[in-house]
């Protein structure tokens, strides 16, 4: 197929296909051929339209984390109590994970690799996210770094383990039904309760 005859898949469709493959296999295991096939292109056209695997990964993560950073910054800048601003962080992450369940999987792959494939453009976005959360936590008298991980970690874990938990809940081996049904929103609600209590705002 010539370049002129190739189907004109928009960049958004290519990045959507890339996100699916990166979520399933991580950066190291992802194959450009698989991304091209999912996008309905041949590999040569994918390279022409977007670039190589590193560029695809960069654009995929940049889009995800740019949106998340902006949402968290907006939430933590709104008037409200310390607990309400921390709740805004939980809402932003919950919305991001529900909008695209592939995000926590991509994050988990990157965490497991020690960030070895993290694109340079994503680092300042992560800095914006941590800075916004740490600022609210510090003003609330909480350890900024530990508070950040206490917010982000459980949501990633719940989002990542849903298929496994559902399978365990069906196994009949003593796992409660809620082990399979609890979602990111449930964890966010639980954490909100804990933070309101910890900050004396549960009245």
């Amino acid at each position: 197929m010539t370049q002129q005859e190739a189907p004109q898949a928009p960049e958004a469709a290519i990045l959507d296909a890339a996100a699916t493959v990166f979520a399933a296999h991580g950066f190291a295991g992802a194959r450009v051929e698989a991304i091209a096939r999912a996008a309905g292109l041949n590999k040569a056209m994918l390279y022409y339209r977007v670039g190589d695997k590193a560029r695809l990964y960069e654009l995929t993560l940049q889009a995800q984390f740019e949106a998340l950073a902006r949402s968290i910054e907006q939430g933590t800048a709104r008037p409200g109590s310390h607990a309400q601003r921390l709740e805004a962080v939980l809402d932003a992450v919950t919305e991001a994970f529900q909008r695209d369940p592939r995000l926590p999987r991509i994050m988990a792959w990157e965490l497991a690799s020690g960030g070895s494939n993290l694109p340079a453009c994503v680092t300042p976005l992560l800095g914006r996210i941590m800075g916004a959360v740490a600022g609210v936590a510090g003003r609330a008298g909480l350890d900024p770094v530990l508070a950040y991980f206490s917010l982000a970690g459980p949501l990633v874990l719940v989002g990542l383990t849903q298929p496994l938990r559902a399978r365990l809940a069906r196994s009949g081996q003593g796992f409660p039904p809620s082990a399979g049904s609890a979602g990111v929103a449930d964890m966010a609600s639980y954490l909100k309760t804990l933070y309101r209590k910890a900050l004396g705002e549960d009245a």
Side-chain angles (χ1 to χ4, degrees), residues 99-178:
R99 183 172 60 248
D100 193 344
R102 297 170 300 187
L103 179 55
R105 293 193 166 279
I106 293 173
M107 292 171 67
W109 280 108
E110 199 57 50
L111 290 170
S113 74
S116 60
N117 302 300
L118 189 70
C121 67
V122 177
T123 303
L125 298 176
L126 294 176
R128 284 170 54 187
I129 293 171
M130 180 171 271
V133 176
V136 174
R139 289 190 292 274
L142 303 172
D143 182 285
V145 175
L146 297 180
Y148 170 81
F149 285 108
S150 73
L151 288 165
L155 295 179
V156 172
L157 186 62
V158 167
L160 185 66
T161 60
Q162 201 285 323
L164 170 62
R165 291 185 288 105
R167 190 165 70 248
L168 293 175
R170 295 192 299 267
S171 70
Q173 301 298 311
F175 295 94
S178 59

Side-chain angles (χ1 to χ4, degrees), residues 9 12 15 34 46 65 71 83 98 106 114 124 129 133 137 154 162 173-174 183 196:
L15 295 183
L46 185 144
F65 283 102
S71 181
Q98 289 179 327
I106 293 173
I129 293 171
V133 176
Q162 201 285 323
Q173 301 298 311
R196 284 195 295 266

Side-chain angles (χ1 to χ4, degrees), residues 5-202:
E5 294 170 337
Q8 294 298 305
E11 183 177 288
I14 297 173
L15 295 183
D16 183 67
T20 297
V21 176
F22 287 132
H25 304 287
F27 178 82
R31 295 291 177 265
V32 174
E33 293 89 342
I35 297 172
R37 187 164 54 250
L41 297 171
N42 60 44
K43 190 167 70 169
M45 181 52 64
L46 185 144
Y47 278 120
Y48 174 78
R49 295 295 299 272
V50 178
D52 61 9
K53 185 169 76 167
R55 180 59 175 162
L56 285 165
Y57 195 56
E58 178 182 87
L59 291 173
T60 299
L61 267 63
Q62 185 175 25
Q64 294 275 18
F65 283 102
E66 175 64 44
L68 183 57
R70 184 168 55 250
S71 181
I72 288 176
E73 288 171 338
Q74 291 172 348
T76 56
R78 288 198 296 263
S81 66
H82 297 315
Q84 287 172 331
R85 290 181 179 180
L86 291 173
E87 288 174 6
V89 176
L90 291 165
D91 288 339
V93 179
T94 298
E95 180 181 342
F97 285 5
Q98 289 179 327
R99 183 172 60 248
D100 193 344
R102 297 170 300 187
L103 179 55
R105 293 193 166 279
I106 293 173
M107 292 171 67
W109 280 108
E110 199 57 50
L111 290 170
S113 74
S116 60
N117 302 300
L118 189 70
C121 67
V122 177
T123 303
L125 298 176
L126 294 176
R128 284 170 54 187
I129 293 171
M130 180 171 271
V133 176
V136 174
R139 289 190 292 274
L142 303 172
D143 182 285
V145 175
L146 297 180
Y148 170 81
F149 285 108
S150 73
L151 288 165
L155 295 179
V156 172
L157 186 62
V158 167
L160 185 66
T161 60
Q162 201 285 323
L164 170 62
R165 291 185 288 105
R167 190 165 70 248
L168 293 175
R170 295 192 299 267
S171 70
Q173 301 298 311
F175 295 94
S178 59
S181 61
V184 174
D186 298 307
M187 176 55 77
S189 179
Y190 180 73
L191 291 172
K192 288 178 183 180
T193 299
L194 293 183
Y195 271 100
R196 284 195 295 266
K197 289 181 178 179
L199 296 173
E201 298 180 21
D202 57 332

